[in-house]
Amino acid sequence: LKDEVATNLTLIISVKELEDLKIEILGKKGKLTDIMKGMRNLSKEERPVIGQLANEVRDFITNEIDAKMIELKGIEKLKRMSDEIIDITLPGRGTGTGRLHPITETMDFLKDIFIEMGFDVAAGPELETTFNNFDALNIPETHSSRDLQDTFYIDNKTVLRTHTSPVQIRYMQDKTAPFRMVCPGKVYRSDYDVSHTPMFHQMEGLMVGENISFANLKAILTEFVNKVFGETNVRFRPHFFPFTEPSAEMDVECVICKGKGCRLCKNTGWLEIMGCGMVDPEVLKSVDYDADKVSGFAFGMGIERIAMLRHGIDDLRAFYDNDMRFLKQFNF
Ligand code: PHE
């Protein structure tokens, strides 16, 4: 048995193998243990002699195995340490930096233009009361925009806001005239195709004070467009909104074809970028403003449309597909 162990020990190269051998020899069902158990059957005279021999063998084997164990553990530890060595000369992998989404960048850019013109920046909740989203804005129960097909209703009294105009109401309930404010944010309508997504962004504007006129509206918005696109022709077309009177839609000359006609402007040479108008006296009344003393103008623009014009993007849905190949092109 001593010889067998000695030969085995020279062949063993891992801690695991050595542990197996230890069990095979010294374990509960091990070879030496068997021999020790067999001593029961020996005669009185034989027992002390064989017993002493067996103890000697056990001590020898135990010592040999323990010594080998220390040696192998040392080797394995050295190997582990050399495997784990960090090569500090390797170049780093780089974590990649995040960047602004083109909509966020456009929103910040537009907002800054108004901040420069003295406008306050406001915000309101995306879950809005039907009162603020519709009633206070003079939108009657029967108006088509209240239809389930356009509006996401949470319950009878709550909607996902369909425009940023309810922030006009919140702002006026909170502040007194004169003031000028803009409010960028997310809005929701149940719609989906090349030019509509169920969530999109608007920026509302509202300026109220004594003698605020349509001329002021035209001046501020024309100045704004020139700051966004450079000197560009604009036009105001009469329109209708329940919360402004008179109302208009503002077009800019197509920045892609310079008015000559192309796919983006559907060959008209013009692109509509916002709705606007003089705040309807009914809206002023709904927030207890004196419509005889103050007047104001309001506007609401689509951020996506302006971002598409600035960056020459022709499919609105590209903004929300989260395709990294698209998003990585914008290095703001
Ligand atoms: N709220 C209107 C819309 O969503 C835009 C608008 C805002 C028009 C303010 C006039 C004044 O289309």
Side-chain angles (χ1 to χ4, degrees):
L1 195 61
K2 265 164 107 177
D3 286 346
E4 185 189 327
V5 171
T7 344
N8 270 329
L9 280 179
T10 59
L11 298 174
I12 279 173
I13 51 159
S14 77
V15 170
K16 173 83 181 61
E17 283 173 330
L18 186 59
E19 274 166 356
D20 290 345
L21 179 73
K22 195 172 169 182
I23 292 170
E24 189 189 324
I25 308 291
L26 301 170
K28 265 190 196 147
K29 289 178 184 158
K31 285 183 182 164
L32 187 64
T33 320
D34 272 355
I35 294 173
M36 301 278 231
K37 278 182 193 159
M39 300 228 315
R40 245 185 265 131
N41 309 321
L42 296 176
S43 66
K44 248 195 215 149
E45 296 74 35
E46 284 173 312
R47 216 175 283 167
V49 186
I50 302 292
Q52 203 189 346
L53 187 63
N55 282 342
E56 225 181 272
V57 171
R58 189 194 54 209
D59 291 347
F60 172 80
I61 291 175
T62 312
N63 284 339
E64 288 291 296
I65 289 181
D66 286 353
K68 184 80 178 180
M69 188 68 90
I70 289 168
E71 182 194 329
L72 285 179
K73 280 194 170 157
I75 291 171
E76 290 196 1
K77 186 175 174 189
L78 280 177
K79 179 165 186 315
R80 229 176 18 249
M81 281 180 5
S82 76
D83 282 353
E84 284 171 11
I85 274 178
I86 294 169
D87 181 354
I88 56 166
T89 64
L90 276 178
R93 270 193 212 104
T95 48
T97 42
R99 59 193 81 192
L100 292 178
H101 190 278
I103 294 298
T104 311
E105 184 271 342
T106 294
M107 212 145 67
D108 290 349
F109 171 69
L110 302 181
K111 196 172 66 183
D112 285 346
I113 293 174
F114 284 105
I115 290 173
E116 230 172 66
M117 296 198 277
F119 281 68
D120 187 17
V121 178
E126 289 167 31
L127 271 179
E128 190 50 280
T129 60
T130 46
F131 181 81
N132 285 343
N133 197 80
F134 296 126
D135 302 87
L137 289 164
N138 199 33
I139 303 174
E141 297 266 4
T142 51
H143 195 276
S144 60
S145 68
R146 290 211 185 194
D147 207 304
L148 273 170
Q149 292 205 314
D150 297 330
T151 306
F152 290 113
Y153 280 88
I154 303 303
D155 56 42
N156 280 341
K157 283 193 189 138
T158 322
V159 296
L160 284 175
R161 66 179 179 193
T162 58
H163 50 182
T164 42
S165 301
V167 185
Q168 290 186 30
I169 303 302
R170 289 177 177 271
Y171 196 89
M172 288 191 284
Q173 281 169 345
D174 214 47
K175 307 250 157 90
T176 52
F179 66 79
R180 50 196 132 161
M181 73 85 165
V182 285
C183 162
K186 290 181 165 59
V187 300
Y188 301 84
R189 288 179 205 175
S190 181
D191 218 342
Y192 186 72
D193 61 39
V194 257
S195 51
H196 298 89
T197 48
M199 183 281 298
F200 59 103
H201 297 77
Q202 285 190 336
M203 186 158 69
E204 195 77 10
L206 180 64
M207 180 163 181
V208 178
E210 280 177 35
N211 300 318
I212 301 292
S213 69
F214 202 88
N216 297 136
L217 174 157
K218 287 180 78 175
I220 297 258
L221 293 179
T222 305
E223 172 75 1
F224 164 75
V225 165
N226 287 336
K227 285 199 167 149
V228 177
F229 298 110
E231 289 294 317
T232 311
N233 290 324
V234 300
R235 70 180 185 191
F236 292 86
R237 279 180 293 103
H239 198 73
F240 174 80
F241 295 105
F243 33 91
T244 46
E245 182 60 34
S247 306
E249 280 190 327
M250 185 188 192
D251 295 342
V252 295
E253 201 169 41
C254 181
V255 289
I256 307 290
C257 63
K258 297 275 174 254
K260 288 195 194 76
C262 68
R263 193 161 81 114
L264 192 66
C265 60
K266 296 195 183 90
N267 282 322
T268 62
W270 296 93
L271 285 155
E272 183 238 313
I273 57 162
M274 69 176 102
C276 55
M278 301 306 293
V279 180
D280 194 295
E282 288 301 317
V283 175
L284 295 174
K285 267 186 229 159
S286 79
V287 291
D288 292 326
Y289 273 37
D290 187 344
D292 292 328
K293 289 214 175 101
V294 294
S295 57
F297 66 81
F299 55 88
M301 64 184 80
I303 307 285
E304 277 79 356
R305 175 62 75 80
I306 296 175
M308 287 165 85
L309 285 174
R310 290 180 72 217
H311 300 298
I313 298 160
D314 64 3
D315 187 341
L316 170 67
R317 294 172 296 191
F319 288 128
Y320 304 114
D321 286 342
N322 287 337
D323 185 334
M324 290 306 283
R325 290 168 303 178
F326 171 75
L327 295 172
K328 278 188 169 170
Q329 296 175 75
F330 304 98
N331 225 337
F332 304 119

